Amino acid sequence: MDLYEGMPEPVRRAWERSLTTGRAAMSRRRLLGAAGLAAGGTLLTACGIPPAQGSRNGGPEDTPDHSKKEKVLNFANWPLYIDVDDHDKKKRPTLDRFERETGIRVKYVEDINDNNEFYGKIKPQLAAGQDTGRDLVCLSDWMAGRVIRQGWAQRLDPANLPHAVTNLEDRFRAAAHDPGRQYSYPWAGTACIVAYNKKATKGKKVTSVTQLLEDESLKGRVSMLTEMTDTVGLTMLDMGVDAEKFQDDDFDAAIARIQKAVDRKQLRRFSGNDYMDELNSGDIAACLAWAGDVVQLQLDNPDVEFAVPDSGYLFGTDDLLVPAKARHQDNAEALIDYYYRPKEAAELAAWVNYICPVAGAKAEMEKIDKNLAEDELIFPGADMVAKGKNFRPMTSEQEVAYEEKFSKLIGA
């Protein structure tokens, strides 16, 4: 049976891209509830787990690199997270060009469908100080941070990354999970914002979380996300709390505020990417949404609008990093650097429609699609950049505690 059978075409196309970018995958995991994680899932405590022995963190000589003799690269990414040829889906234009230019043969596998699931897959090798069989992986920032903290990522060599060092947009350089960007570079940026169907709202603009939670005209036609960091983070911002510096009491107050909206049936439900179907049809009048989804829906539905709340929005990244003991770090760094060339970055962004982290890519995008070049969900302007906030880093214990409270709220 076709997974997308019966879906309106705009939603089908948006789902095909967004279901597996990391945001939706995490949402499906959240629905399992934090109790399962605490009972033996893949969350780790900071104690009792040794860093990979002989990791390249201690120096380039610790892990022999075979890149010069072995012109190969094993690259693990999310499905549908790279440009493909419109006429031949087996071709990936930018990646194919990288292979021709460098002579490096890329084994590109789309085996990351969920951050924790993938982490559980490679954790035994990492903990044992063994090669995972992957030279480059793409993980959401919070998971990349976990791998880095465990000592299971190899420090990148800036000498091999001239384009990345030069062209990384300034707003991506300060990363709480990887200070100084010593271990990771963004593949794409992500943003959680407010979206609405102007036909369903009868032309009324929806621009804040306060409206989602309290506007009587939207009652029963609002959805929020099953992604804890986005839903609670945006609510805290709306309450005047800095999502990058909040305390436990702030988190509890945000949960209580959302619970009040649940109790009075203001909210229709909490959802993963399936909000797109209802937003597209107007069954959901307004919701929290991920920027890449909105860009995709707007291609076919002019009624879908978005707003960046004055209080701010949740910002994150999906990051490239080299696992400890990888055999081909130089080859991995060559690929990272290649995608920080503005032309290649623009081609990638034109297909994935998420925030581009590469300076100079916007000018190249204008040659491809002027509308995409002006889309602030791909190339945010200074005002939008200033409003972006990260959800502060959590310890494993905090993550479990917060997830337990959030799971109770959403009924997971």
Side-chain angles (χ1 to χ4, degrees):
M1 180 179 177
D2 184 352
L3 174 63
Y4 308 108
E5 184 177 353
M7 278 189 179
E9 189 61 22
V11 180
R12 176 189 176 95
R13 284 196 288 272
W15 260 93
E16 286 177 343
R17 161 61 186 93
S18 299
L19 180 64
T20 48
T21 63
R23 311 276 85 75
M26 286 193 289
S27 295
R28 291 195 297 273
R29 178 181 62 79
R30 304 292 183 186
L31 289 173
L32 298 176
L37 296 175
T42 55
L43 281 178
L44 298 176
T45 61
C47 302
I49 300 171
Q53 297 302 309
S55 78
R56 194 163 164 176
N57 293 345
E61 71 281 359
D62 288 348
T63 299
D65 191 86
H66 302 269
S67 295
K68 291 183 179 179
K69 292 183 179 180
E70 299 174 4
K71 304 293 284 185
V72 297
L73 172 65
N74 298 299
F75 179 12
N77 204 351
W78 302 85
L80 305 171
Y81 212 12
I82 197 169
D83 54 305
V84 298
D85 189 286
D86 289 337
H87 304 292
D88 185 349
K89 300 301 183 183
K90 294 181 180 180
K91 294 182 178 180
R92 303 180 179 97
T94 58
L95 193 61
D96 294 343
R97 192 161 65 246
F98 170 79
E99 290 185 313
R100 291 194 301 270
E101 287 187 14
T102 63
I104 297 170
R105 180 175 56 84
V106 181
K107 182 181 179 183
Y108 184 83
V109 291
E110 299 179 323
D111 65 342
I112 305 178
N113 290 295
D114 176 274
N115 282 286
N116 270 310
E117 178 186 51
F118 183 75
Y119 181 67
K121 187 186 301 183
I122 64 175
K123 183 186 73 173
Q125 292 98 325
L126 291 171
Q130 299 171 353
D131 179 16
T132 66
R134 300 162 180 86
D135 302 304
L136 188 65
V137 300
C138 183
L139 299 172
S140 298
D141 49 14
W142 59 274
M143 179 56 76
R146 184 187 299 177
V147 173
I148 292 166
R149 288 194 303 273
Q150 296 294 342
W152 291 344
Q154 296 192 172
R155 191 189 304 271
L156 300 174
D157 184 352
N160 291 336
L161 300 164
H163 293 99
V165 170
T166 301
N167 294 331
L168 178 64
E169 287 275 9
D170 288 345
R171 65 183 178 277
F172 295 92
R173 295 182 185 273
H177 66 286
D178 181 13
R181 286 291 179 188
Q182 299 181 72
Y183 299 94
S184 68
Y185 272 84
W187 179 250
T190 61
C192 183
I193 55 177
V194 171
Y196 61 99
N197 185 311
K198 62 184 180 183
K199 186 175 181 180
T201 65
K202 299 180 179 179
K204 183 176 186 176
K205 293 182 177 182
V206 182
T207 62
S208 70
V209 173
T210 293
Q211 285 176 275
L212 296 180
L213 296 175
E214 299 176 11
D215 191 327
E216 286 286 341
S217 70
L218 302 176
K219 187 172 183 178
R221 298 186 297 146
V222 173
S223 70
M224 300 183 90
L225 294 164
T226 53
E227 169 57 34
M228 180 269 289
T229 57
D230 287 328
T231 290
V232 179
L234 274 166
T235 302
M236 286 194 291
L237 289 175
D238 188 76
M239 297 168 69
V241 176
D242 189 340
E244 296 176 344
K245 300 177 181 178
F246 70 89
Q247 302 298 317
D248 289 350
D249 288 348
D250 299 318
F251 183 92
D252 291 343
I255 290 288
R257 187 183 183 202
I258 301 169
Q259 183 66 61
K260 186 179 296 185
V262 170
D263 293 342
R264 57 183 292 271
K265 302 189 184 306
Q266 174 75 9
L267 300 183
R268 179 170 180 147
R269 66 191 184 97
F270 295 88
S271 68
N273 284 71
D274 44 337
Y275 70 83
M276 289 189 292
D277 196 353
E278 294 172 305
L279 178 63
N280 181 68
S281 67
D283 289 340
I284 286 290
C287 61
L288 296 184
W290 290 303
D293 298 344
V294 175
V295 175
Q296 291 288 338
L297 286 176
Q298 287 182 322
L299 293 175
D300 300 281
N301 189 344
D303 290 328
V304 174
E305 298 281 359
F306 74 91
V308 178
D310 290 338
S311 58
Y313 66 95
L314 258 291
F315 168 78
T317 55
D318 289 329
D319 290 347
L320 299 174
L321 61 79
V322 178
K325 287 300 194 177
R327 289 178 62 87
H328 309 109
Q329 174 158 341
D330 285 355
N331 292 344
E333 290 169 342
L335 186 136
I336 295 172
D337 197 59
Y338 170 82
Y339 277 101
Y340 271 80
R341 297 181 348 190
K343 181 177 184 295
E344 283 68 30
E347 290 182 38
L348 177 66
W351 201 88
V352 304
N353 294 156
Y354 271 64
I355 296 172
C356 181
V358 180
K362 182 175 181 179
E364 292 294 332
M365 182 68 86
E366 290 175 353
K367 303 173 185 177
I368 300 172
D369 187 320
K370 290 186 177 181
N371 289 331
L372 290 180
E374 296 303 318
D375 194 322
E376 66 175 338
L377 297 185
I378 300 176
F379 296 102
D383 289 344
M384 183 171 178
V385 169
K387 293 180 180 179
K389 291 287 185 178
N390 295 111
F391 194 95
R392 72 163 171 78
M394 298 174 284
T395 65
S396 296
E397 291 85 355
Q398 287 174 328
E399 187 173 2
V400 170
Y402 292 160
E403 287 286 7
E404 286 178 345
K405 294 175 181 179
F406 187 68
S407 293
K408 183 178 179 181
L409 168 70
I410 67 176

